[in-house]
């Protein structure tokens, strides 16, 4: 199974708050965020890891090329895109047929939970399995509606009665999702949350998988939070 990392954002909020390194290279307990994901994906038997980064972050590009030179199974795409959904679209042709796992570069989770998630998705016969959590520490969370069997019923920008979870920013999907992705691009849509809504509209069978806690690193203070969380694993 292939894995993918969206690392094409500018990390402007971190830069404005005095963090000098580009987001993918920010170190958490001594390990760059992108290196952490690559290591975890390889531990979960990644066939190949597709990474997209923007044209501006030459440090990130060189870091990834150095890893390629060491023989790691990484494909690098360099392109500045207007949104994470467009980044996904740009790399979709490299993800091939069957199942894959996609995440943003700053997603922090427990490695043991991630392994169980990937194992569950490999055995799942539906079209996608989204990581969710009931821990909310996000400026603009994407709320996820589910039924009692954790089938996803909808994605919402605001809290609705009965909703227990928000998106964790980790997406396990099949190549069936590409038709929906292409439709979103053709219709001028952007943002991953709009793509996810369209998956539901198009009738794809999506399951939610609960993580105890997932963090994003958007601000300098999030670095400390993430490091403390990782020490608890």
């Amino acid at each position: 199974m292939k894995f993918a990392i969206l690392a094409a954002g500018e990390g402007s909020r971190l830069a404005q708050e005095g963090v000098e390194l580009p987001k993918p290279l920010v170190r958490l307990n001594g390990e760059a965020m992108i290196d952490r994901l690559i290591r975890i994906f390889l531990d979960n038997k990644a066939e190949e890891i597709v990474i997209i980064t923007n044209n501006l972050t030459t440090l990130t590009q060189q870091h990834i090329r150095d890893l390629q030179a060491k023989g790691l199974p990484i494909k690098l795409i360099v392109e500045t895109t207007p949104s994470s959904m467009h980044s996904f679209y740009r790399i979709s042709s490299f993800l091939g047929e069957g199942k894959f796992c996609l995440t943003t570069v700053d997603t922090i989770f427990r490695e043991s939970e991630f392994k169980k998630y990937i194992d569950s998705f490999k055995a799942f016969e539906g079209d996608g399995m989204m990581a969710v959590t009931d821990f909310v520490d996000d400026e603009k969370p994407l709320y996820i509606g589910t039924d009692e069997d954790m089938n996803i019923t909808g994605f919402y920008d605001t809290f609705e009665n009965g909703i227990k979870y928000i998106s964790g920013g980790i997406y396990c999907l099949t190549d069936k999702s590409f038709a929906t992705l292409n439709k979103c691009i053709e219709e001028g849509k952007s943002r991953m949350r709009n793509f996810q809504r369209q998956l539901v509209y198009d009738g794809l069978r999506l399951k939610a998988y609960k993580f105890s806690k997932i963090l994003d690193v958007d601000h300098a203070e999030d670095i400390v939070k993430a490091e403390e969380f990782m020490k608890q694993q």
Side-chain angles (χ1 to χ4, degrees):
M1 190 171 96
K2 292 188 178 182
F3 290 73
I5 302 172
L6 303 181
E10 296 180 9
S12 56
R13 285 174 289 190
L14 285 175
Q16 290 168 4
E17 295 170 7
V19 178
E20 295 182 356
L21 286 172
K23 182 186 281 192
L25 301 185
V26 170
R27 302 179 79 81
L28 301 177
N29 295 329
E31 185 176 32
M33 285 196 284
I34 198 162
D35 290 349
R36 175 178 181 271
L37 285 178
I38 291 169
R39 173 178 57 76
I40 293 170
F41 292 168
L42 291 175
D43 286 345
N44 283 274
K45 298 179 171 51
E47 171 189 341
E48 183 177 56
I49 302 170
V50 182
I51 302 173
I52 181 167
T53 186
N54 63 52
N55 293 300
L56 304 174
T57 53
T58 54
L59 282 176
T60 303
Q61 294 171 36
Q62 188 56 55
H63 181 78
I64 296 170
R65 290 192 174 102
D66 289 345
L67 296 177
Q68 289 176 314
K70 293 178 180 179
L72 296 186
I74 295 172
K75 182 178 293 293
L76 173 63
I77 310 300
V78 178
E79 184 172 321
T80 299
T81 61
S83 75
S84 54
M85 191 192 78
H86 285 81
S87 292
F88 176 27
Y89 175 73
R90 178 64 180 83
I91 66 173
S92 59
S93 61
F94 299 101
L95 296 176
E97 299 179 352
K99 297 182 175 184
F100 61 91
C101 179
L102 172 79
T103 184
T104 53
V105 73
D106 63 338
T107 305
I108 310 301
F109 47 80
R110 288 192 169 94
E111 296 179 31
S112 58
E113 290 184 335
F114 184 80
K115 183 182 187 307
K116 292 177 182 177
Y117 168 58
I118 294 300
D119 289 344
S120 294
F121 176 61
K122 287 179 178 178
F124 181 52
E125 296 181 356
D127 303 311
M129 184 173 284
M130 307 302 201
V132 303
T133 179
D134 56 10
F135 175 80
V136 182
D137 184 27
D138 196 304
E139 295 172 348
K140 296 180 180 179
L142 176 63
Y143 296 93
I144 297 183
T146 60
D147 64 18
E148 59 184 14
D149 295 319
M150 295 295 280
N151 295 302
I152 294 176
T153 57
F155 296 89
Y156 308 94
D157 289 329
T158 57
F159 176 77
E160 303 282 340
N161 286 334
I163 289 181
K164 300 178 181 178
Y165 306 112
I166 65 167
S167 172
I170 312 171
Y171 321 97
C172 279
L173 294 163
T174 70
D175 57 355
K176 188 175 178 180
S177 65
F178 295 153
T180 295
L181 178 62
N182 294 340
K183 180 191 298 184
C184 287
I185 294 294
E186 291 169 2
E187 293 177 353
K189 294 178 180 177
S190 63
R191 306 189 71 189
M192 284 296 288
R193 61 181 57 196
N194 292 323
F195 161 69
Q196 292 176 83
R197 289 190 183 101
Q198 192 64 50
L199 290 173
V200 175
Y201 296 152
D202 289 350
L204 275 70
R205 183 185 170 203
L206 306 177
K207 201 91 168 177
Y209 186 94
K210 184 179 181 298
F211 281 64
S212 59
K213 189 176 182 179
I214 299 176
L215 299 177
D216 291 333
V217 179
D218 292 320
H219 297 280
E221 65 181 13
D222 295 334
I223 296 173
V224 177
K225 292 180 183 178
E227 289 182 324
E228 289 301 316
F229 172 49
M230 290 167 60
K231 289 176 183 176
Q232 299 168 10
Q233 300 193 55

